Amino acid sequence: MNELHLDRARAESFGSIAEQYDRYRPAAPSALIDALATSRPAQALDVACGTGQVAVALASRGLSVLGVELDPRMAAIARSRGIDVEVGAFETWGDRGRAFDLITCGNAWHWIDPVAGVVKAAQLLRVGGTFARFWSFYVLDESILAAFDVIYREHAPDTHPHGRGPIHGNEGDLVATSDAFSGVEIQTYPWETALTADEWIGLVSTYSDHQRLGPHVLAKLGRALHAAIEARGGSVHAQGRTYSLFARRI
């Protein structure tokens, strides 16, 4: 994960599918948003805010939220929802001396230089403020994943099905070892959902490893996945998880 930010083609691929991303990516769990809003931070910064899913949720709790987003197409959607967004890469973003009580980053910290990103977050966060990073993922039943494995071996052998869930940890996490933070607290928020064949294909098509397959291969893969899901009742049941890392500025 610490090397993904070096693949700039993947990191900057989401703007071309901004509307699809916004439609299919899961929202952060309400329990997580409530936890972030509990201390009533006066100023919140949502890093790599994308289409504004997290920022909108925080704003709905009465927080003042600023977003910073690399891609103007993603930022445009967030702005259409009332979020103030400044376009730029977080590591080099001109903060103009502003400070924040809460910094969030949902599903995107792996696209940010881990060294420069931690330094920047420490500079921007007031003492006692919270730095929260989180990722949402799905875990599917092994029966449907076995069918997906066959499909991927045929149509996209260098790509793997989503649905087994990543093995997370904070080994090598520079926030955990930084003198600017009190350490990292890990919290996982569970949720459940069911997705139709179209929704599952729409979702996985937004991931960068699938985007780099190209439209022709991605379309063939999608048709095969659609047929497999329809043959099993037309939907996939997913155990959702949002893996969260919290750190306090000291």
Side-chain angles (χ1 to χ4, degrees):
M1 292 285 281
N2 284 341
E3 298 297 322
L4 271 178
H5 72 282
L6 299 174
D7 190 340
R8 298 318 302 170
R10 287 180 66 177
E12 299 173 17
S13 66
F14 299 104
S16 63
I17 53 165
E19 292 184 0
Q20 183 178 350
Y21 184 104
D22 185 64
R23 177 179 178 183
Y24 291 111
R25 287 295 185 101
S30 293
L32 169 58
I33 300 299
D34 289 341
L36 295 171
T38 297
S39 62
R40 306 304 301 170
Q43 299 290 333
L45 177 69
D46 189 25
V47 175
C49 71
T51 60
Q53 290 178 325
V54 173
V56 168
L58 291 172
S60 74
R61 298 333 193 253
L63 274 61
S64 174
V65 186
L66 173 66
V68 57
E69 167 56 40
L70 180 64
D71 192 284
R73 295 162 293 185
M74 302 283 274
I77 295 177
R79 286 171 176 155
S80 74
R81 293 175 173 155
I83 301 301
D84 184 12
V85 183
E86 297 182 9
V87 174
F90 174 64
E91 302 94 319
T92 56
W93 168 62
D95 57 86
R96 304 199 302 276
R98 289 168 287 185
F100 301 88
D101 308 289
L102 171 66
I103 296 178
T104 58
C105 184
N107 300 302
W109 190 253
H110 49 284
W111 299 123
I112 293 170
D113 183 304
V115 176
V118 171
V119 171
K120 187 81 167 184
Q123 290 173 344
L124 294 173
L125 199 58
R126 295 187 178 100
V127 172
T130 299
F131 182 24
R133 297 161 294 155
F134 40 93
W135 294 262
S136 294
F137 58 91
Y138 296 89
V139 179
L140 306 184
D141 293 337
E142 277 299 326
S143 59
I144 189 67
L145 285 169
F148 287 176
D149 284 336
V150 174
I151 291 168
Y152 276 78
R153 283 196 295 269
E154 179 180 355
H155 297 287
D158 295 328
T159 305
H160 300 287
H162 286 257
R164 286 192 168 91
I167 299 174
H168 281 293
N170 64 339
E171 299 83 1
D173 180 16
L174 298 184
V175 176
T177 58
S178 171
D179 292 338
F181 296 96
S182 62
V184 172
E185 174 189 348
I186 300 174
Q187 179 70 44
T188 300
Y189 295 85
W191 40 279
E192 294 187 26
T193 190
L195 297 95
T196 66
D198 286 339
E199 289 171 336
W200 181 257
I201 294 160
L203 170 69
V204 298
S205 296
T206 68
Y207 292 116
S208 62
D209 59 344
H210 283 57
Q211 278 294 303
R212 66 179 179 178
L213 293 173
H216 179 67
V217 173
L218 188 57
K220 288 174 61 179
L221 177 65
R223 287 192 293 269
L225 292 173
H226 194 283
I229 295 169
E230 289 295 334
R232 289 161 177 78
S235 64
V236 293
H237 178 264
Q239 299 284 339
R241 301 285 186 271
T242 300
Y243 175 81
S244 308
L245 302 173
F246 303 94
R248 183 175 60 85
R249 182 70 167 91
I250 57 177

